[in-house]
Amino acid sequence: MKRATLRDIAQVLGVTVATVSRALKNYPDISSATKQTVLATAERLHYAPHPMAVKLRQQAYKVVGVVVPDIVHPFFSDVISGIVDVMEALGYHIILSQSNESYEKEIRVTQMLQATGVDGLLVCLSNETVSIDHLRALQEYDLPVVLFDKISPLLDASSVVTNDFQGAYDAVAHLLDQGYTRIAHIKGPPHPENTRQRFLGYQAALAAYGLPFRPEYVAECHTVTHEEGATFALRFMALPEPPQALFAVSDSVAIGAITALKEAGWRVPQDMAVIGFSDWSVCRMLEPSVSSVSQPGYDIGRRASELLLREIRQLREELPPEHSRVVLDATVQVRQSSLRPTAG
Amino acid sequence: MKRATLRDIAQVLGVTVATVSRALKNYPDISSATKQTVLATAERLHYAPHPMAVKLRQQAYKVVGVVVPDIVHPFFSDVISGIVDVMEALGYHIILSQSNESYEKEIRVTQMLQATGVDGLLVCLSNETVSIDHLRALQEYDLPVVLFDKISPLLDASSVVTNDFQGAYDAVAHLLDQGYTRIAHIKGPPHPENTRQRFLGYQAALAAYGLPFRPEYVAECHTVTHEEGATFALRFMALPEPPQALFAVSDSVAIGAITALKEAGWRVPQDMAVIGFSDWSVCRMLEPSVSSVSQPGYDIGRRASELLLREIRQLREELPPEHSRVVLDATVQVRQSSLRPTAG
DNA sequence: ATCGGTAACGTAATCGATTTCGGAACGCCA
DNA sequence: TGGCGTTCCGAAATCGATTACGTTACCGAT
């Protein structure tokens, strides 16, 4: 069964396509009698407007592109979910691409998305990305771009990020508030700004509580895996004066650390309190349940979508697009792994 | 900067759009001199073909729709990742939608996808879905549909699924091979066929090894959460003759069971061996590391994509579309939680 | 001088829907 | 009867690219 067109309906009724089009869109200058018959035959022929024809006229696709480094990642799943919910409510669809943390691929997919004809782009930069010329090129063709999570100060665009600094600060403050004074940190690699901010938040919290920064209490990941968490946790324990608490840059590292500590005979949190970052769903399933800093992935997706939709609207109305910078707080989820046993 | 059209180039050079179009597509009946200048000015004006115009002519969008019940789920992330990889390699894009396990929403999003103009659909049915008329309607308009993971025998379409029966059978056989004879199962709710197959695989393995089916060793989940895993595991332990091993319908249930058992003073796997289903990434991070049956999510996405692309191609060539039914094996990942300590 | 051939390009239809500009038909009033 | 205003609809342009089908001009051959 081939799909019916306006012409098909017009031929059946002996009118022109213009009349049919206007009847279907309920124009006032079409008699209600004609409207009736048009609607009836449209129904009968299972008419549906041809998407591309409409979009060619309207110059609006109602589709936005989404680029994330890695689809298979709980955080990005959350973000995407937030994006989809907002976009679908307004009749927009999303085209999903992943950069695999590759700068080359990021350039490729953004260009492909532009060529596909999206109305805007939601991008989380890859870790490799240094130049943002490929995104600037999109903007020059009036294609709005909103960055989220991993952003670049070089691009004049709206952005939505987690307050990693504050999240880390709060996590460490939570440990400090309980009276811990020797707090270690397993930090991420230097490059992604996000994990650097967590390290800075860690330092700032120590400073705010008048505690010295002890380099021997800081380890730096390369792979950010649970193996590294295990290695560094045990290394900390071997220090002459081992730390009492650990703030890990990610949940995988935190879980690796906890697992290794328990296997080595230490108790969590009695011998070492641990708190992670990201709040994976398994955190609450473990024993002890793992404290973590939860990133508002879903909200990041929502807010980024709203900003993009606003810019798309402004562009359609020939207004200069406004750019906003949204920073969402991360919230500490206190569970057993970081709760200091009441002395007694 | 407005995007250049063929007409812009044509006006600059004093030729017609036809010439420009043919020059850009390297037609033989255009002089190389003209081609040179056309290419040069196309470059200069940053010409890029208008996607909708091309698609309207060609009647092919190079976009497929993907519908999953829930984006925020490791398994579906894997599937989506596989889909994206295959599709992008062939210049296709994917439009992502989620049904939130709602029949109503599944109908809505599939219709929206059709209206948006996709070349085909990859669908995982929601748990609620009973009738598949909405998908049949798509097929009648020559829109190929491929089902994956949760499928329906009522729809004549290609499908790709995990062999849940075999995965469950192998998991239980792995326990039986080690000499366990009292094996419990925490099964899923009756409806999704997938978890029912796991239950059947459990039963079949017992039968194959000549062991009786003991109803007191089977519990049925409603929410399929770690809390239920905890509850049922402890209930099993309270039996006069507790089971020695447990096959859980999901990893969340398995992890909940392990956590509860350990907290209650039992040892895993010494007092109770446990194996889950899905092979979440955390399984290998825990202590003991959790055995599980890994579903080939990425491959399911790949295979489903290939089938869909084949049907799209066949449809373009006016051939009758062939339907295939692909069943991919699940593989048992043996880790500590299900390894019987060597007696001695 | 006429014919056939070919290189190189133009004309116009086409994809399907939307929209501006008219235009016929009718009624109403002077 | 002439003029004006509605009502309802048709003609045609438009969105941008593609392509079947001419058409021109120039060549060599007869």
Side-chain angles (χ1 to χ4, degrees):
Chain A
M1 187 194 303
K2 274 285 141 249
R3 56 187 316 154
T5 68
L6 284 188
R7 199 201 327 258
D8 297 332
I9 302 177
Q11 278 177 348
V12 169
L13 297 180
V15 295
T16 64
V17 291
T19 305
V20 177
S21 173
R22 281 183 287 228
L24 289 174
K25 307 196 80 190
N26 204 24
Y27 273 51
D29 56 350
I30 299 290
S31 72
S32 46
T34 309
K35 279 179 189 169
Q36 295 273 330
T37 55
V38 168
L39 252 74
T41 54
E43 186 82 10
R44 189 164 57 80
L45 299 181
H46 294 102
Y47 168 79
H50 188 113
M52 298 313 155
V54 175
K55 285 160 191 172
L56 176 58
R57 266 312 297 241
Q58 244 96 69
Q59 302 287 31
Y61 199 10
K62 287 217 151 199
V63 169
V64 301
V66 177
V67 181
V68 294
D70 180 14
I71 296 172
V72 187
H73 192 292
F75 173 68
F76 290 124
S77 297
D78 273 344
V79 175
I80 293 168
S81 178
I83 294 172
V84 168
D85 281 356
V86 170
M87 289 297 178
E88 262 177 8
L90 279 107
Y92 277 74
H93 276 294
I94 75 160
I95 292 187
L96 189 61
S97 291
Q98 61 182 345
S99 63
N100 295 337
E101 297 284 11
S102 150
Y103 177 46
E104 300 286 338
K105 183 137 192 239
E106 183 176 300
I107 293 178
R108 271 218 316 282
V109 299
T110 50
Q111 287 177 345
M112 276 183 64
L113 285 172
Q114 183 188 20
T116 308
V118 296
D119 294 322
L121 239 53
L122 290 165
V123 179
C124 171
L125 298 178
S126 85
N127 282 338
E128 265 192 8
T129 301
V130 278
S131 156
I132 42 80
D133 291 344
H134 55 303
L135 298 180
R136 217 174 260 148
L138 301 179
Q139 292 181 322
E140 285 182 6
Y141 285 96
D142 282 346
L143 198 62
V145 176
V146 172
L147 297 178
F148 64 89
D149 194 45
K150 282 183 283 189
I151 69 178
S152 166
L154 300 175
L155 190 73
D156 185 25
S158 291
S159 60
V160 183
V161 292
T162 309
N163 198 335
D164 285 283
F165 180 91
Q166 162 268 329
Y169 184 100
D170 288 357
V172 177
H174 151 66
L175 297 171
L176 291 163
D177 284 339
Q178 295 183 98
Y180 291 119
T181 53
R182 299 195 306 278
I183 299 177
H185 178 45
I186 301 181
K187 67 194 288 263
H191 182 55
E193 182 63 16
N194 309 59
T195 60
R196 206 176 74 88
Q197 287 294 325
R198 293 175 200 170
F199 173 55
L200 295 178
Y202 161 76
Q203 286 185 307
L206 290 183
Y209 281 71
L211 290 172
F213 173 71
R214 301 172 61 164
E216 72 270 26
Y217 281 176
V218 173
E220 181 172 313
C221 284
H222 296 96
T223 56
V224 198
T225 54
H226 65 111
E227 285 94 347
E228 284 190 326
T231 306
F232 293 136
L234 297 179
R235 191 174 300 168
F236 285 142
M237 283 318 215
L239 287 175
E241 191 181 32
Q244 308 157 304
L246 166 66
F247 167 50
V249 71
S250 81
D251 282 340
S252 55
V253 171
I255 292 173
I258 293 174
T259 303
L261 288 169
K262 287 172 68 180
E263 198 164 7
W266 307 98
R267 293 162 305 161
V268 176
Q270 289 85 347
D271 299 317
M272 173 83 106
V274 178
I275 184 166
F277 207 108
S278 281
D279 196 23
W280 285 1
S281 60
V282 284
C283 285
R284 72 194 61 191
M285 300 184 191
L286 304 181
E287 167 55 32
S289 56
V290 180
S291 300
S292 191
V293 181
S294 87
Q295 296 172 284
Y298 184 82
D299 284 329
I300 289 177
R302 290 189 64 93
R303 295 299 297 274
S305 301
E306 287 162 1
L307 291 180
L308 182 62
L309 288 172
R310 191 185 66 183
E311 294 196 19
I312 291 173
R313 206 178 321 118
Q314 289 170 340
L315 225 61
R316 230 194 348 253
E317 295 168 3
E318 313 260 331
L319 300 171
E322 304 170 55
H323 293 160
S324 304
R325 191 165 292 271
V326 174
V327 180
L328 297 178
D329 277 1
T331 55
V332 176
Q333 303 291 334
V334 176
R335 300 200 183 88
Q336 296 164 11
S337 72
S338 69
L339 272 185
R340 188 172 202 178
T342 44
Chain B
M1 190 194 300
K2 276 283 142 248
R3 55 187 316 153
T5 69
L6 283 189
R7 190 189 346 242
D8 297 333
I9 302 178
Q11 278 179 346
V12 168
L13 297 180
V15 294
T16 64
V17 291
T19 306
V20 177
S21 174
R22 282 184 286 229
L24 288 175
K25 305 194 82 190
N26 204 23
Y27 273 50
D29 56 349
I30 299 292
S31 73
S32 46
T34 309
K35 280 178 188 168
Q36 295 272 330
T37 55
V38 167
L39 251 74
T41 55
E43 184 84 9
R44 188 163 59 79
L45 299 181
H46 294 101
Y47 170 79
H50 187 113
M52 305 315 157
V54 175
K55 286 164 187 175
L56 175 58
R57 264 315 297 245
Q58 244 94 68
Q59 301 287 34
Y61 322 118
K62 290 214 149 198
V63 172
V64 303
V66 177
V67 182
V68 294
D70 180 14
I71 296 172
V72 186
H73 192 293
F75 172 69
F76 290 124
S77 296
D78 272 345
V79 176
I80 293 169
S81 178
I83 294 172
V84 168
D85 281 355
V86 170
M87 289 297 178
E88 262 177 9
L90 279 109
Y92 277 75
H93 277 292
I94 75 160
I95 292 187
L96 188 61
S97 290
Q98 62 182 343
S99 65
N100 295 337
E101 297 284 11
S102 150
Y103 176 47
E104 299 286 339
K105 184 141 190 233
E106 183 176 300
I107 294 178
R108 271 218 315 282
V109 299
T110 50
Q111 288 178 344
M112 275 182 65
L113 285 173
Q114 183 187 21
T116 308
V118 295
D119 293 321
L121 239 51
L122 291 165
V123 179
C124 171
L125 298 178
S126 85
N127 282 338
E128 266 191 9
T129 300
V130 278
S131 155
I132 42 81
D133 291 342
H134 55 304
L135 298 180
R136 217 174 259 146
L138 301 179
Q139 291 181 324
E140 284 181 7
Y141 285 97
D142 283 346
L143 199 61
V145 177
V146 172
L147 297 179
F148 64 89
D149 193 47
K150 281 182 285 190
I151 69 177
S152 166
L154 300 175
L155 190 73
D156 184 25
S158 291
S159 60
V160 183
V161 293
T162 309
N163 197 336
D164 286 284
F165 180 90
Q166 161 268 329
Y169 184 100
D170 288 357
V172 176
H174 150 68
L175 297 171
L176 291 162
D177 284 338
Q178 296 184 96
Y180 291 119
T181 53
R182 302 194 304 278
I183 299 178
H185 177 46
I186 301 180
K187 67 193 287 264
H191 181 54
E193 182 62 16
N194 309 60
T195 61
R196 205 176 74 89
Q197 287 295 324
R198 294 176 199 170
F199 174 55
L200 295 177
Y202 160 77
Q203 286 186 306
L206 290 182
Y209 280 69
L211 290 173
F213 173 72
R214 300 171 63 163
E216 71 271 26
Y217 282 174
V218 173
E220 181 173 313
C221 283
H222 297 96
T223 56
V224 199
T225 54
H226 66 113
E227 284 95 347
E228 285 189 326
T231 305
F232 293 136
L234 297 178
R235 191 174 300 167
F236 284 142
M237 283 316 213
L239 288 175
E241 191 181 31
Q244 307 156 304
L246 167 65
F247 166 51
V249 71
S250 80
D251 281 340
S252 56
V253 171
I255 292 172
I258 292 175
T259 302
L261 288 170
K262 288 172 68 178
E263 199 165 6
W266 307 99
R267 293 162 306 162
V268 176
Q270 288 86 346
D271 300 317
M272 172 84 106
V274 178
I275 184 166
F277 207 107
S278 282
D279 196 23
W280 286 359
S281 59
V282 285
C283 285
R284 73 194 59 190
M285 299 184 193
L286 303 180
E287 166 55 31
S289 56
V290 179
S291 300
S292 191
V293 181
S294 88
Q295 297 171 284
Y298 185 83
D299 284 330
I300 288 178
R302 290 190 62 93
R303 296 298 299 271
S305 302
E306 287 162 4
L307 291 180
L308 182 61
L309 288 172
R310 190 185 68 183
E311 294 197 19
I312 290 173
R313 207 179 320 118
Q314 289 170 340
L315 225 62
R316 231 195 346 253
E317 294 167 5
E318 313 260 332
L319 300 171
E322 305 169 54
H323 294 161
S324 304
R325 192 164 293 269
V326 174
V327 180
L328 297 179
D329 277 2
T331 55
V332 175
Q333 303 292 334
V334 176
R335 299 201 184 88
Q336 297 166 11
S337 71
S338 69
L339 273 184
R340 188 174 201 175
T342 44

